Amino acid sequence: MSAQSRDISRRRFVASAGLAATAVCLVPHRLFGDEQSLVVAARKAGETANITVQALRRNVSALIGSGGNIAVLPGGDGKLIIDAGFAGTRGKIDAALTKLSSDPIKHLVNTHWHFDHTDGNEWMHSAGATITAHENTRKHLSVSTRVEDWNFTFPASPAGAIPTDVFNADKTLRLNGATIALKYYGSAHTDGDISAYFSEADVLHTGDTWWNGHFPFIDYSTGGSLDGMIKAAEANLARVTEKTIVIPGHGPVGGKSEMIEYRDVLTTIRDRVAALKREGKSLNEIVAAKPTAAYDAKWAGGFVNGEFFTKLVYKGVG
Ligand SMILES: [Zn+2]
């Protein structure tokens, strides 16, 4: 091994350790090479992640660090949890939940079917949770499902992990003295995305329709689309005020100004890639033109790097 390649390996190690430490959890494709699916790498990184608990408003807290961000509302009706994180972090999630209150876990909502939001379904169900989700989320979890862009086929989930309380357009929960509005986006990041809005607290969990400071993944294999992602970003903006606290699917808790920035990043890169495609440039030429370059330093540090995002956008523009 040359000094140079040793240095590169070391830097790679430091980069992945750093990601785990900052609880980004989802690890760039390039760190692991193409032979290992990003799903395997992300689950592995998730196991070493730390869980941070952030108190928001009116008893609603966010748990950051195990795959998709989790929201929790404890109370006499039992804990309501939005998204279940990785199964490998069960011990850490359970410890964080117990610290919040001694109420049992009674209600789990999945914002969509992806593994980093539903791997914990089975243990939360066995702890007492009824699982609520959009009907397409149940559909994908019930059967073997392949995601081409992750090069991974998920087996059907075990019976206990499959949502039993499903809906199509919207549903309102009244629990622990709070009103929680669940709303379907239509095709966005997948074909089953929903938001959860804690009305009195004015706290919105967007699922993976918002990635705060990270390029988003778009799951074309299960009905996601670029136009749908941008439409969802606009819909999220239309329903929040300066005061709304917003929990993204990935990245830190934020609000309206960060959501505007995210929407602008998506539309700017879409317009650039669309213009290059209209000029007749090939995918390789467009990737080489680095249409995300101005944003990479801030936005490419998570699960989707600039090249991967360019490829996802290319698929979605006419
Ligand atoms: Zn997702």
Side-chain angles (χ1 to χ4, degrees):
M1 192 185 255
S2 73
Q4 191 192 5
S5 63
R6 260 202 310 277
D7 188 43
I8 289 167
S9 307
R10 201 191 128 267
R11 275 210 308 272
R12 282 187 181 173
F13 172 77
V14 170
S16 43
L19 282 171
T22 54
V24 167
C25 271
L26 291 167
V27 174
H29 219 185
R30 63 185 184 277
L31 294 178
F32 291 91
D34 289 332
E35 75 286 350
Q36 186 180 29
S37 166
L38 180 151
V39 173
V40 177
R43 280 180 169 146
K44 211 182 278 177
E47 282 169 19
T48 58
N50 291 318
I51 307 291
T52 311
V53 180
Q54 198 176 341
L56 301 176
R57 199 184 279 149
R58 285 205 183 209
N59 248 358
V60 179
S61 293
L63 267 60
I64 312 285
S66 174
N69 292 332
I70 295 170
V72 185
L73 177 69
D77 299 322
K79 284 192 183 90
L80 163 68
I81 300 181
I82 314 294
D83 281 347
F86 288 123
T89 43
R90 173 182 179 163
K92 289 176 190 173
I93 292 176
D94 211 14
L97 291 174
T98 305
K99 234 173 149 179
L100 281 175
S101 82
S102 57
D103 310 312
I105 302 172
K106 288 276 194 192
H107 314 272
L108 170 63
V109 172
N110 291 146
T111 60
H112 61 297
W113 75 275
H114 282 158
F115 69 111
D116 50 328
H117 302 253
T118 60
D119 273 4
N121 276 16
E122 192 176 24
W123 81 260
M124 288 196 186
H125 174 72
S126 70
T130 299
I131 308 175
T132 301
H134 187 265
E135 58 189 28
N136 288 340
T137 296
R138 175 165 70 184
K139 189 179 82 186
H140 298 308
L141 290 174
S142 302
V143 295
S144 168
T145 302
R146 177 158 182 83
V147 176
E148 283 304 329
D149 287 310
W150 288 341
N151 187 28
F152 198 85
T153 304
F154 296 85
S157 295
I162 295 174
T164 52
D165 176 29
V166 298
F167 64 96
N168 181 266
D170 47 54
K171 183 181 175 82
T172 304
L173 305 176
R174 288 193 176 81
L175 294 166
N176 300 327
T179 313
I180 303 98
L182 308 178
K183 194 171 169 19
Y184 180 48
Y185 286 99
S187 161
H189 168 74
T190 65
D191 62 6
D193 303 286
I194 60 167
S195 57
Y197 180 61
F198 296 84
S199 309
E200 295 83 1
D202 193 16
V203 173
L204 175 68
H205 191 314
T206 63
D208 278 1
T209 66
W210 183 35
W211 298 49
N212 187 8
H214 302 295
F215 292 134
F217 180 63
I218 302 167
D219 186 355
Y220 292 99
S221 292
T222 59
S225 71
L226 176 64
D227 288 345
M229 276 300 260
I230 292 171
K231 228 169 97 186
E234 299 284 7
N236 285 334
L237 272 173
R239 65 188 293 199
V240 299
T241 69
E242 308 294 338
K243 288 189 186 141
T244 310
I245 298 173
V246 190
I247 307 172
H250 298 275
V253 171
K256 191 165 189 175
S257 59
E258 293 91 356
M259 293 166 82
I260 291 172
E261 190 186 349
Y262 167 80
R263 188 268 321 268
D264 292 347
V265 168
L266 292 196
T267 53
T268 305
I269 295 173
R270 174 202 57 195
D271 292 349
R272 282 182 193 165
V273 172
L276 292 165
K277 203 170 176 179
R278 269 197 309 270
E279 284 170 23
K281 297 267 195 302
S282 70
L283 174 59
N284 283 343
E285 287 169 328
I286 294 174
V287 166
K290 297 191 187 302
T292 66
Y295 302 106
D296 285 352
K298 174 169 177 183
W299 293 80
F303 153 51
V304 178
N305 65 24
E307 178 180 333
F308 190 13
F309 189 56
T310 302
K311 289 177 176 170
L312 291 171
V313 172
Y314 178 87
K315 268 193 206 185
V317 295

